[in-house]
Amino acid sequence: MSHQPIILGIETSCDDTAAAVVAGGQLLANSVSTQLEHEKWGGVVPEIASRAHERQIVPVVNDALAKAGIDRADIDAVAVTVGPGLIGSLLVGVSFAKALCLGLDRPLIAVNHLDGHLASLYLAPSPPPWPHLCLIVSGGHTQLMRVDGPGETTLLGRTRDDAAGEAFDKVGKLLGLSYPAGPQVDRLAREGDPTFHAFPRTRLKGYDWSFSGIKTSVLYYLNALPETERSGFAARHLSDLCASFQEAVVDMLVAPVKKAMQDTGIRHVGLVGGVSANTRLRERLGELCTTQRGALYVPPMEYCMDNAAMIAMAGLHRFQSGQTSPLTVSADPSLTLT
Ligand code: KG4
Ligand code: ZN
């Protein structure tokens, strides 16, 4: 085995077919094929996703190996997302990774997708020290973790219903935006007035969240207008509505992080997952960390959304501590991070 372990990472948990190569902690290649087939349906269609992964997996892995300038035989281990995610999508990546491991006689490393998001911080030039807190905010998850080392996590808080990204996507849809609406809401909100309307902020005890209330309140707010005026009003005030909604979600996201910083005394905070790309959330968490004399850590923009570089990095951490997985490991759509 080489002194610089070479890990191939594979990620197919949702609608991105992705492969990446890391060697000794350096990212050599990162390939992704984003499925555009889902846009017209307003969300990810599981059956369409599985079929697209099946078509894309070989070209995407070959592309990553070619970009890294390595041969299949150079790989020391294959890291793959085993969950959580869509079962049909996960199975394509997991089966492919197992076959590759069998063919090459190399170990498999099963990676929890959320552990992958945590590892995305280690793709940045200055990653956080341990212990740190990490807010995972994506289309499927919203949770606050305490991270004491690679794979050493404690769940502090989670959403009881919708994920933050899901709230962005659903409210965006109500406002006439296409899927995924999060990046568009972010962009439009920059020109809007965040005080245009005060949507209610749901605040639960402890570190948990609930985002179903804000989604309903946007719906009721629009439905209170006469039907003939609704779409005209939403279009005229689109940026104000985006800014007001976003401000409420960001207020809600920041509160438990502040409480956890105060309760644990941990001053280093990571922000990962698709919603970590949000400009206002980065700004507000940055301000919080400054006032608490701490520091905010975010992955480079291209590793906020689902990618395989983070899976390869999480796999490297496991490989270095000797944690490989049997080839009998199964994809688990409801795998959790506790
Ligand atoms: O982590 P990710 O790529 O996939 C999941 O594991 O869910 O996250 C995708 C989610 C979508 O809900 C998308 O709307 C949201 O992240 N998102 C954003 C932004 N960029 C992506 N939400 C708010 N602001 C953004 N800039
Ligand atoms: Zn994700």
Side-chain angles (χ1 to χ4, degrees), residues 28-267:
L28 297 189
N30 185 40
S31 296
V32 59
S33 160
T34 300
Q35 302 173 4
L36 303 173
E37 292 90 330
H38 306 284
E39 217 165 282
K40 66 175 178 217
W41 303 103
V44 177
V45 184
E47 181 71 26
I48 294 176
S50 325
R51 287 167 191 241
H53 283 306
E54 211 276 329
R55 277 195 306 277
Q56 290 304 321
I57 188 79
V58 172
V60 168
V61 168
N62 283 343
D63 184 59
L65 296 176
K67 279 183 184 148
I70 62 159
D71 192 72
R72 253 174 246 167
D74 299 327
I75 299 169
D76 289 300
V78 181
V80 65
T81 305
V82 292
L86 300 169
I87 186 63
S89 291
L90 290 165
L91 281 172
V92 176
V94 172
S95 305
F96 183 86
K98 284 182 183 178
L100 203 53
C101 288
L102 272 174
L104 296 171
D105 192 23
R106 295 288 190 277
L108 179 77
I109 304 171
V111 174
N112 182 318
H113 179 80
L114 300 175
D115 253 333
H117 276 301
L118 294 179
S120 69
L121 293 175
Y122 295 83
L123 293 160
S126 44
W130 290 287
H132 61 262
L133 301 173
C134 194
L135 178 62
I136 309 176
V137 264
S138 71
H141 302 273
T142 299
Q143 51 191 71
L144 181 62
M145 309 298 301
R146 178 192 165 117
V147 188
D148 286 284
E152 283 176 59
T153 55
T154 311
L155 177 71
L156 298 179
R158 61 179 170 83
T159 179
R160 303 259 182 97
D161 40 56
D162 291 349
E166 202 178 348
F168 270 95
D169 295 336
K170 286 180 178 171
V171 167
K173 193 174 175 185
L174 290 175
L175 297 173
L177 302 175
S178 60
Y179 175 87
Q184 302 168 68
V185 172
D186 185 356
R187 209 167 38 246
L188 288 159
R190 282 178 220 154
E191 276 112 56
D193 174 9
T195 63
F196 179 74
H197 183 76
F199 290 111
R201 278 81 165 145
T202 308
R203 186 77 186 88
L204 303 179
K205 277 211 182 113
Y207 308 111
D208 281 0
W209 292 275
S210 167
F211 292 103
S212 63
I214 184 151
K215 176 191 64 192
T216 315
S217 73
V218 175
L219 179 68
Y220 285 2
Y221 177 75
L222 293 174
N223 282 353
L225 299 164
E227 206 178 338
T228 48
E229 290 172 28
R230 226 171 271 162
S231 60
F233 177 86
R236 255 191 335 276
H237 292 290
L238 186 57
S239 38
D240 294 330
L241 291 168
C242 286
S244 300
F245 159 74
Q246 178 177 273
E247 200 63 21
V249 172
V250 170
D251 271 348
M252 284 194 272
L253 283 170
V254 169
V257 180
K258 182 176 180 184
K259 180 173 159 51
M261 287 179 88
Q262 290 168 340
D263 292 350
T264 62
I266 298 174
R267 299 274 179 263

Side-chain angles (χ1 to χ4, degrees), residues 11 13-16 84 113-114 117 136-141 163-170 179-187 190 246 272-281 301 303-307 310:
E11 154 66 40
S13 67
C14 192
D15 58 340
D16 293 305
H113 179 80
L114 300 175
H117 276 301
I136 309 176
V137 264
S138 71
H141 302 273
E166 202 178 348
F168 270 95
D169 295 336
K170 286 180 178 171
Y179 175 87
Q184 302 168 68
V185 172
D186 185 356
R187 209 167 38 246
R190 282 178 220 154
Q246 178 177 273
V272 302
V275 184
S276 72
N278 187 268
T279 323
R280 188 66 182 138
L281 181 59
M301 218 39 139
Y303 310 122
C304 290
M305 304 291 274
D306 288 350
N307 64 84
M310 66 185 196

